């Protein structure tokens, strides 16, 4: 059964399902349009990016690569989460080429790739409280209505 069809660049650049996102190696977040051309996810994340302009309340999704996320230590002293940023407690660490992939207790569906040097310098370990940020230029927004049938 076909999960998504279309030009390869579109399918891999902005997958419409968790399965296609896993194959493309990107994070996929569903939500709805919010003021300021943002996507508001049920998890509380608010993401802005490039691509489709989402009307308030319109179903859509955001996609970004795990390697595009920036990490800073001590979420307790970081600014409060806002657009394209969140705090989290490391729950799972997986070895990947050149570093480690992190998953947090608060947002277990989001993968964050961290170079090994950064992980060592920040003392990243399970239970570490971290702040995360992804640049708007690295986030793709799409309307759900544009998905292939």
């Amino acid at each position: 059964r076909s999960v998504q069809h279309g030009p390869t660049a579109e399918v891999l650049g902005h997958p419409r399902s968790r399965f296609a996102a896993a194959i493309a190696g990107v994070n996929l977040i569903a939500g709805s349009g919010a003021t300021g051309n943002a996507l508001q996810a049920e998890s509380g994340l608010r993401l802005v990016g490039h691509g489709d302009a989402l009307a308030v309340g319109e179903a859509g999704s955001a996609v970004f690569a795990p390697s595009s996320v920036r990490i800073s230590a001590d979420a307790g002293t970081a600014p409060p989460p806002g657009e394209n940023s969140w705090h989290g407690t490391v729950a799972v660490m997986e070895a990947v080429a050149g570093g480690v992939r992190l998953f947090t207790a608060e947002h277990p569906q989001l993968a964050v790739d961290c170079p090994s040097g950064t992980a060592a310098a920040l003392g990243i370990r399970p239970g570490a409280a971290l702040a995360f940020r992804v640049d708007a230029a690295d986030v793709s927004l799409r309307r759900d209505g544009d998905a292939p049938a």
Side-chain angles (χ1 to χ4, degrees):
R1 164 173 127 93
S2 176
V3 175
Q4 182 176 350
H5 67 281
T8 303
E10 176 63 21
V11 172
L12 296 178
H14 199 104
R16 303 291 184 170
S17 69
R18 294 231 179 263
F19 176 76
I23 290 172
V26 296
N27 289 308
L28 173 66
I29 299 148
S32 58
T35 57
N37 193 31
L39 177 96
Q40 184 72 45
E42 287 184 20
S43 66
L45 290 176
R46 181 179 168 87
L47 298 165
V48 295
H50 61 86
D52 294 342
L54 299 173
V56 174
E58 182 178 22
S61 60
V63 168
F64 58 90
S67 61
S68 66
V69 179
R70 302 297 169 248
I71 305 166
S72 40
D74 197 9
T77 61
E83 288 183 346
N84 294 26
S85 66
W86 64 97
H87 293 168
T89 306
V90 176
V92 176
M93 297 174 67
E94 298 175 352
V96 294
V100 63
R101 179 163 283 176
L102 308 173
F103 297 90
T104 65
E106 297 80 1
H107 300 285
Q109 79 283 9
L110 294 180
V112 176
D113 288 351
C114 180
S116 54
T118 301
L122 296 178
I124 294 177
R125 56 175 170 49
L130 303 171
F132 303 91
R133 174 149 181 73
V134 62
D135 289 334
D138 294 324
V139 178
S140 171
L141 299 176
R142 292 288 184 272
R143 290 182 196 91
D144 275 358
D146 293 341

